[in-house]
Amino acid sequence: MKTVITYGTFDILHIGHINLLRRARALGDRLVVGLSSDEFNRGKHKSSLLNFENRKVVLESIRYVDEVFPEHNWEQKVDDIKRYGAAVFVMGHDWEGKFDFLSEFCQVRYLPRTESISTTEIKQSLAISVVGVTQ
Ligand code: C2G
């Protein structure tokens, strides 16, 4: 059983997230996802629109995801990799190099991000459309 592990906020799910999850899952037999808690997101200076419970239910419903666990801090990855026996750690290439220290414990793979979509852009266009409607 080859386990792949990845982490993220996965707020307002979009094709960029799905592409990452599908390609991560294809690298093994199961994919476990560390989902950033609301508190950890605040630490990442990322306020997610959807709270942890909501984001967790959405993520668990995706066919590529086998298990979702909470990501509370930057330091837990080594323990998570050992607990799940993960063979591969995957992140989008915007994190290129940031997690190379994990290669002592498992293979580290950075996959190309899906361009021209991000939760931030979705939130911005939502804000613009709301302003447009109320004007
Ligand atoms: N992603 C992508 N393409 C996009 C947007 C996101 O490939 N257009 C990838 C990111 O590179 C990341 C994953 O989808 O691997 C989740 O993205 P976020 O929810 O933005 O996660 P992030 O804030 O990067 O948190 O400890 C690691 C952090 O929890 C990662």
Side-chain angles (χ1 to χ4, degrees), residues 9-10 36 44 46 71 74 77 92 94-95 113-114 117:
T9 303
F10 296 103
S36 307
K44 287 197 281 185
K46 277 185 94 160
E71 177 187 33
W74 293 108
K77 292 186 175 67
D94 48 312
W95 291 94
R113 272 176 72 92
T114 302
I117 187 155

Side-chain angles (χ1 to χ4, degrees), residues 4-95:
V4 182
I5 191 168
T6 189
Y7 293 78
T9 303
F10 296 103
D11 189 27
I12 316 177
L13 222 57
H14 55 66
I15 189 168
H17 298 131
I18 300 301
N19 286 341
L20 189 285
L21 294 168
R22 183 184 66 252
R23 293 165 62 214
R25 173 65 180 76
L27 296 173
D29 306 307
R30 74 167 178 161
L31 173 63
V32 297
V33 183
L35 182 63
S36 307
S37 67
D38 297 327
E39 297 73 25
F40 182 52
N41 267 332
R42 281 192 278 279
K44 287 197 281 185
H45 306 300
K46 277 185 94 160
S47 62
S48 62
L49 208 61
L50 305 175
N51 67 22
F52 177 82
E53 271 319 303
N54 192 322
R55 291 181 284 116
K56 183 170 185 286
V57 167
V58 170
L59 214 47
E60 286 171 338
S61 70
I62 294 171
R63 69 178 70 173
Y64 308 118
V65 176
D66 295 283
E67 187 174 331
V68 178
F69 62 94
E71 177 187 33
H72 295 296
N73 55 63
W74 293 108
E75 293 74 30
Q76 68 183 79
K77 292 186 175 67
V78 173
D79 290 341
D80 296 338
I81 288 166
K82 289 178 179 170
R83 185 169 76 253
Y84 284 106
V88 190
F89 167 87
V90 172
M91 289 302 294
H93 78 309
D94 48 312
W95 291 94

